[in-house]
Amino acid sequence: MRKTFLILAIIFSVLGAVFSFLPFDSLAFLPIVLALVFSYLTFSKSEDNQKKLPKNLFIFSILCAVFVLGKTFLIKDEVEKDQIFEQTKIESTIEAKKDLEDLEDLE
């Protein structure tokens, strides 16, 4: 049972780390929480000389959770308006209208 919990803890820790760096925000908490649960279960089922890896996985999962929390609350995603593009779009619209007026005048 310990090996199963250990394998699941490793898998969910890796998934939690991957989801932490991708822009999934709060979705990353699902594998992180599962990694924490399985790390705790592995830690509780382990003998004294086998507790190093589950403890490290637990710490790693906590660091991933802190990283996701920091990324969620400290980094604001804002869309800036591109003034140069807007100006270019207005100018091209004006030029297109002038071209159409010139074509109408020729006919």
Side-chain angles (χ1 to χ4, degrees):
M1 198 65 162
R2 178 192 176 277
K3 286 184 181 183
T4 305
F5 288 151
L6 182 63
I7 291 170
L8 288 172
I10 291 170
I11 289 171
F12 285 119
S13 293
V14 170
L15 281 175
V18 169
F19 280 21
S20 295
F21 291 105
L22 294 176
F24 287 133
D25 290 338
S26 60
L27 186 63
F29 282 116
L30 181 65
I32 291 172
V33 168
L34 289 172
L36 287 170
V37 168
F38 287 121
S39 296
Y40 175 75
L41 289 173
T42 306
F43 186 79
S44 65
K45 298 279 184 186
S46 299
E47 295 177 8
D48 289 336
N49 60 352
Q50 297 175 330
K51 290 189 177 190
K52 187 174 183 178
L53 182 59
K55 185 170 73 170
N56 289 337
L57 287 173
F58 195 76
I59 292 170
F60 180 72
S61 299
I62 290 173
L63 290 175
C64 287
V66 168
F67 179 74
V68 170
L69 281 173
K71 192 171 77 168
T72 301
F73 291 118
L74 297 178
I75 297 175
K76 301 293 181 195
D77 293 333
E78 296 179 4
V79 178
E80 292 187 16
K81 194 170 186 178
D82 190 6
Q83 295 296 334
I84 296 172
F85 175 73
E86 293 295 325
Q87 186 65 29
T88 307
K89 189 167 73 170
I90 291 170
E91 289 173 0
S92 67
T93 304
I94 292 171
E95 287 179 20
K97 285 181 182 179
K98 285 182 183 179
D99 288 343
L100 284 175
E101 289 174 357
D102 290 342
L103 286 174
E104 287 178 359
D105 290 341
L106 290 176
E107 293 179 358

